[in-house]
Tab-separated table of all heavy atoms in Angstrom:
chain	number	residue	atom	x	y	z
A	1	SER	N	-4.886	-80.418	36.996
A	1	SER	CA	-3.711	-79.895	37.692
A	1	SER	C	-2.531	-79.950	36.740
A	1	SER	O	-2.421	-80.865	35.915
A	1	SER	CB	-3.417	-80.725	38.941
A	1	SER	OG	-3.144	-82.075	38.599
A	2	PHE	N	-1.674	-78.957	36.851
A	2	PHE	CA	-0.521	-78.850	35.971
A	2	PHE	C	0.763	-78.907	36.787
A	2	PHE	O	0.895	-78.240	37.805
A	2	PHE	CB	-0.543	-77.534	35.180
A	2	PHE	CG	-1.749	-77.367	34.295
A	2	PHE	CD1	-2.704	-76.394	34.568
A	2	PHE	CD2	-1.925	-78.169	33.183
A	2	PHE	CE1	-3.800	-76.226	33.749
A	2	PHE	CE2	-3.032	-78.012	32.348
A	2	PHE	CZ	-3.968	-77.037	32.633
A	3	VAL	N	1.706	-79.718	36.310
A	3	VAL	CA	2.987	-79.854	36.988
A	3	VAL	C	4.102	-79.779	35.949
A	3	VAL	O	4.142	-80.573	35.015
A	3	VAL	CB	3.090	-81.187	37.755
A	3	VAL	CG1	4.449	-81.293	38.447
A	3	VAL	CG2	1.965	-81.326	38.753
A	4	ALA	N	5.004	-78.811	36.118
A	4	ALA	CA	6.158	-78.716	35.231
A	4	ALA	C	7.167	-79.770	35.640
A	4	ALA	O	7.540	-79.864	36.811
A	4	ALA	CB	6.785	-77.329	35.314
A	5	ARG	N	7.590	-80.587	34.711
A	5	ARG	CA	8.446	-81.725	35.030
A	5	ARG	C	9.784	-81.319	35.633
A	5	ARG	O	10.303	-81.966	36.509
A	5	ARG	CB	8.706	-82.548	33.755
A	5	ARG	CG	7.438	-83.074	33.092
A	5	ARG	CD	6.692	-84.054	33.993
A	5	ARG	NE	5.582	-84.676	33.292
A	5	ARG	CZ	4.319	-84.352	33.483
A	5	ARG	NH1	4.018	-83.388	34.333
A	5	ARG	NH2	3.354	-84.965	32.822
A	6	ASN	N	10.369	-80.203	35.174
A	6	ASN	CA	11.717	-79.849	35.624
A	6	ASN	C	11.811	-78.444	36.216
A	6	ASN	O	12.889	-77.887	36.311
A	6	ASN	CB	12.712	-79.957	34.456
A	6	ASN	CG	12.775	-81.353	33.891
A	6	ASN	OD1	12.950	-82.315	34.630
A	6	ASN	ND2	12.625	-81.482	32.578
A	7	GLY	N	10.697	-77.868	36.604
A	7	GLY	CA	10.743	-76.526	37.162
A	7	GLY	C	11.308	-75.517	36.187
A	7	GLY	O	12.248	-74.777	36.478
A	8	VAL	N	10.759	-75.457	35.006
A	8	VAL	CA	11.321	-74.679	33.909
A	8	VAL	C	11.030	-73.179	34.059
A	8	VAL	O	9.922	-72.792	34.416
A	8	VAL	CB	10.764	-75.200	32.562
A	8	VAL	CG1	9.259	-75.046	32.489
A	8	VAL	CG2	11.426	-74.493	31.395
A	9	PRO	N	12.037	-72.306	33.809
A	9	PRO	CA	11.780	-70.862	33.766
A	9	PRO	C	11.107	-70.491	32.445
A	9	PRO	O	11.647	-70.759	31.366
A	9	PRO	CB	13.168	-70.235	33.887
A	9	PRO	CG	14.114	-71.279	33.426
A	9	PRO	CD	13.482	-72.607	33.710
A	10	VAL	N	9.929	-69.900	32.523
A	10	VAL	CA	9.095	-69.637	31.346
A	10	VAL	C	8.973	-68.143	31.100
A	10	VAL	O	8.703	-67.369	32.024
A	10	VAL	CB	7.690	-70.248	31.534
A	10	VAL	CG1	6.806	-69.934	30.336
A	10	VAL	CG2	7.782	-71.744	31.767
A	11	PHE	N	9.161	-67.759	29.846
A	11	PHE	CA	8.894	-66.381	29.439
A	11	PHE	C	7.634	-66.388	28.592
A	11	PHE	O	7.552	-67.114	27.603
A	11	PHE	CB	10.052	-65.801	28.624
A	11	PHE	CG	9.821	-64.384	28.160
A	11	PHE	CD1	10.149	-63.312	28.967
A	11	PHE	CD2	9.256	-64.126	26.912
A	11	PHE	CE1	9.916	-62.002	28.546
A	11	PHE	CE2	9.017	-62.824	26.487
A	11	PHE	CZ	9.361	-61.764	27.309
A	12	TYR	N	6.651	-65.579	28.975
A	12	TYR	CA	5.418	-65.483	28.203
A	12	TYR	C	5.481	-64.256	27.312
A	12	TYR	O	5.691	-63.137	27.781
A	12	TYR	CB	4.194	-65.394	29.107
A	12	TYR	CG	2.927	-65.100	28.341
A	12	TYR	CD1	2.349	-66.086	27.536
A	12	TYR	CD2	2.338	-63.840	28.376
A	12	TYR	CE1	1.205	-65.807	26.788
A	12	TYR	CE2	1.204	-63.561	27.632
A	12	TYR	CZ	0.639	-64.549	26.850
A	12	TYR	OH	-0.482	-64.273	26.091
A	13	HIS	N	5.305	-64.465	26.000
A	13	HIS	CA	5.273	-63.351	25.053
A	13	HIS	C	3.845	-62.904	24.843
A	13	HIS	O	2.972	-63.698	24.463
A	13	HIS	CB	5.886	-63.749	23.710
A	13	HIS	CG	5.691	-62.689	22.662
A	13	HIS	ND1	6.396	-61.514	22.665
A	13	HIS	CD2	4.831	-62.622	21.604
A	13	HIS	CE1	5.998	-60.761	21.646
A	13	HIS	NE2	5.049	-61.408	20.995
A	14	ASP	N	3.591	-61.631	25.065
A	14	ASP	CA	2.248	-61.068	24.917
A	14	ASP	C	1.944	-60.751	23.460
A	14	ASP	O	2.607	-59.897	22.849
A	14	ASP	CB	2.131	-59.766	25.711
A	14	ASP	CG	2.188	-59.979	27.196
A	14	ASP	OD1	3.314	-60.037	27.741
A	14	ASP	OD2	1.123	-60.083	27.810
A	15	PRO	N	0.941	-61.387	22.880
A	15	PRO	CA	0.498	-60.987	21.540
A	15	PRO	C	-0.079	-59.574	21.605
A	15	PRO	O	-0.718	-59.199	22.596
A	15	PRO	CB	-0.596	-62.005	21.203
A	15	PRO	CG	-0.348	-63.158	22.128
A	15	PRO	CD	0.202	-62.552	23.377
A	16	CYS	N	0.140	-58.790	20.570
A	16	CYS	CA	-0.357	-57.416	20.580
A	16	CYS	C	-1.875	-57.343	20.699
A	16	CYS	O	-2.411	-56.366	21.214
A	16	CYS	CB	0.123	-56.679	19.332
A	16	CYS	SG	1.895	-56.303	19.344
A	17	HIS	N	-2.565	-58.371	20.225
A	17	HIS	CA	-4.019	-58.349	20.296
A	17	HIS	C	-4.546	-58.574	21.713
A	17	HIS	O	-5.749	-58.493	21.945
A	17	HIS	CB	-4.616	-59.389	19.336
A	17	HIS	CG	-4.516	-58.996	17.907
A	17	HIS	ND1	-3.491	-59.417	17.081
A	17	HIS	CD2	-5.289	-58.185	17.135
A	17	HIS	CE1	-3.651	-58.900	15.875
A	17	HIS	NE2	-4.733	-58.160	15.878
A	18	LEU	N	-3.643	-58.877	22.664
A	18	LEU	CA	-4.058	-59.064	24.050
A	18	LEU	C	-3.400	-58.082	25.010
A	18	LEU	O	-3.981	-57.730	26.033
A	18	LEU	CB	-3.728	-60.496	24.515
A	18	LEU	CG	-4.479	-61.655	23.871
A	18	LEU	CD1	-4.027	-62.968	24.489
A	18	LEU	CD2	-5.988	-61.487	24.027
A	19	ARG	N	-2.184	-57.633	24.705
A	19	ARG	CA	-1.381	-56.963	25.732
A	19	ARG	C	-1.848	-55.561	26.105
A	19	ARG	O	-1.359	-54.994	27.087
A	19	ARG	CB	0.090	-56.924	25.302
A	19	ARG	CG	0.448	-56.026	24.137
A	19	ARG	CD	1.926	-56.217	23.760
A	19	ARG	NE	2.305	-55.525	22.556
A	19	ARG	CZ	3.036	-54.421	22.545
A	19	ARG	NH1	3.459	-53.901	23.678
A	19	ARG	NH2	3.362	-53.847	21.404
A	20	PHE	N	-2.789	-54.989	25.365
A	20	PHE	CA	-3.223	-53.637	25.692
A	20	PHE	C	-4.501	-53.600	26.541
A	20	PHE	O	-5.065	-52.538	26.763
A	20	PHE	CB	-3.413	-52.823	24.410
A	20	PHE	CG	-2.144	-52.696	23.619
A	20	PHE	CD1	-2.053	-53.231	22.340
A	20	PHE	CD2	-1.026	-52.091	24.164
A	20	PHE	CE1	-0.875	-53.127	21.616
A	20	PHE	CE2	0.152	-51.991	23.447
A	20	PHE	CZ	0.232	-52.511	22.179
A	21	SER	N	-4.942	-54.754	27.012
A	21	SER	CA	-6.065	-54.790	27.953
A	21	SER	C	-5.630	-55.555	29.189
A	21	SER	O	-4.814	-56.479	29.108
A	21	SER	CB	-7.286	-55.480	27.330
A	21	SER	OG	-7.067	-56.873	27.192
A	22	ALA	N	-6.148	-55.164	30.343
A	22	ALA	CA	-5.759	-55.821	31.591
A	22	ALA	C	-6.071	-57.317	31.571
A	22	ALA	O	-5.205	-58.136	31.915
A	22	ALA	CB	-6.435	-55.132	32.779
A	23	PRO	N	-7.284	-57.728	31.172
A	23	PRO	CA	-7.553	-59.178	31.125
A	23	PRO	C	-6.633	-59.901	30.141
A	23	PRO	O	-6.185	-61.014	30.408
A	23	PRO	CB	-9.019	-59.250	30.667
A	23	PRO	CG	-9.601	-57.931	31.037
A	23	PRO	CD	-8.494	-56.941	30.857
A	24	GLY	N	-6.347	-59.273	28.997
A	24	GLY	CA	-5.480	-59.893	28.003
A	24	GLY	C	-4.078	-60.134	28.525
A	24	GLY	O	-3.431	-61.126	28.166
A	25	ARG	N	-3.590	-59.240	29.363
A	25	ARG	CA	-2.271	-59.414	29.968
A	25	ARG	C	-2.288	-60.402	31.126
A	25	ARG	O	-1.347	-61.181	31.313
A	25	ARG	CB	-1.739	-58.067	30.480
A	25	ARG	CG	-1.408	-57.062	29.413
A	25	ARG	CD	-0.698	-55.860	30.011
A	25	ARG	NE	-1.482	-55.179	31.043
A	25	ARG	CZ	-2.331	-54.196	30.800
A	25	ARG	NH1	-2.529	-53.789	29.566
A	25	ARG	NH2	-2.990	-53.607	31.779
A	26	GLU	N	-3.353	-60.365	31.888
A	26	GLU	CA	-3.366	-61.096	33.158
A	26	GLU	C	-3.769	-62.561	33.025
A	26	GLU	O	-3.209	-63.422	33.708
A	26	GLU	CB	-4.320	-60.393	34.139
A	26	GLU	CG	-3.855	-58.992	34.535
A	26	GLU	CD	-4.935	-58.197	35.228
A	26	GLU	OE1	-6.048	-58.758	35.415
A	26	GLU	OE2	-4.692	-57.024	35.574
A	27	MET	N	-4.744	-62.861	32.164
A	27	MET	CA	-5.273	-64.224	32.116
A	27	MET	C	-4.238	-65.276	31.720
A	27	MET	O	-4.150	-66.330	32.364
A	27	MET	CB	-6.507	-64.278	31.207
A	27	MET	CG	-7.722	-63.616	31.830
A	27	MET	SD	-9.261	-63.875	30.898
A	27	MET	CE	-8.885	-62.989	29.387
A	28	PRO	N	-3.417	-65.052	30.682
A	28	PRO	CA	-2.402	-66.073	30.356
A	28	PRO	C	-1.420	-66.277	31.510
A	28	PRO	O	-0.989	-67.402	31.779
A	28	PRO	CB	-1.707	-65.507	29.118
A	28	PRO	CG	-2.668	-64.530	28.549
A	28	PRO	CD	-3.382	-63.947	29.714
A	29	ARG	N	-1.060	-65.206	32.181
A	29	ARG	CA	-0.126	-65.312	33.297
A	29	ARG	C	-0.740	-66.069	34.470
A	29	ARG	O	-0.074	-66.865	35.133
A	29	ARG	CB	0.333	-63.914	33.727
A	29	ARG	CG	1.257	-63.261	32.705
A	29	ARG	CD	1.576	-61.806	33.060
A	29	ARG	NE	2.697	-61.323	32.260
A	29	ARG	CZ	2.585	-60.915	31.007
A	29	ARG	NH1	1.395	-60.917	30.424
A	29	ARG	NH2	3.649	-60.516	30.332
A	30	LYS	N	-2.011	-65.813	34.722
A	30	LYS	CA	-2.698	-66.561	35.783
A	30	LYS	C	-2.712	-68.047	35.468
A	30	LYS	O	-2.546	-68.883	36.357
A	30	LYS	CB	-4.127	-66.044	35.950
A	30	LYS	CG	-4.230	-64.677	36.596
A	30	LYS	CD	-5.690	-64.248	36.728
A	30	LYS	CE	-5.807	-62.882	37.388
A	30	LYS	NZ	-7.224	-62.434	37.491
A	31	LEU	N	-2.901	-68.363	34.202
A	31	LEU	CA	-2.942	-69.762	33.787
A	31	LEU	C	-1.577	-70.413	33.973
A	31	LEU	O	-1.464	-71.540	34.474
A	31	LEU	CB	-3.395	-69.849	32.333
A	31	LEU	CG	-3.888	-71.199	31.799
A	31	LEU	CD1	-4.964	-71.787	32.690
A	31	LEU	CD2	-4.401	-71.027	30.376
A	32	ILE	N	-0.519	-69.720	33.585
A	32	ILE	CA	0.832	-70.263	33.744
A	32	ILE	C	1.182	-70.425	35.223
A	32	ILE	O	1.857	-71.384	35.618
A	32	ILE	CB	1.854	-69.355	33.035
A	32	ILE	CG1	1.616	-69.365	31.526
A	32	ILE	CG2	3.294	-69.815	33.324
A	32	ILE	CD1	2.441	-68.356	30.758
A	33	LYS	N	0.711	-69.508	36.047
A	33	LYS	CA	1.006	-69.575	37.484
A	33	LYS	C	0.347	-70.772	38.155
A	33	LYS	O	0.715	-71.130	39.286
A	33	LYS	CB	0.572	-68.280	38.164
A	33	LYS	CG	1.454	-67.087	37.838
A	33	LYS	CD	0.921	-65.825	38.491
A	33	LYS	CE	1.771	-64.609	38.131
A	33	LYS	NZ	1.241	-63.362	38.728
A	34	THR	N	-0.619	-71.394	37.501
A	34	THR	CA	-1.239	-72.593	38.077
A	34	THR	C	-0.382	-73.835	37.865
A	34	THR	O	-0.700	-74.900	38.397
A	34	THR	CB	-2.630	-72.851	37.455
A	34	THR	OG1	-2.484	-73.161	36.065
A	34	THR	CG2	-3.538	-71.643	37.615
């Protein structure tokens, strides 16, 4: 389980090697949303 200590606003930067496929865009965001 993951808990952000201070409720931090996070910006995720998409690497070009991932951002042009749906899984590449979605999986990191799903992980951060946990």
Side-chain angles (χ1 to χ4, degrees):
S1 61
F2 300 112
V3 180
R5 301 296 187 256
N6 300 309
V8 62
V10 178
F11 179 87
Y12 172 72
H13 172 74
D14 292 85
C16 289
H17 287 96
L18 293 181
R19 69 186 173 106
F20 299 117
S21 71
R25 292 189 301 270
E26 295 167 1
M27 288 189 295
R29 289 173 166 80
K30 288 180 179 179
L31 197 52
I32 295 172
K33 288 177 182 178
T34 65

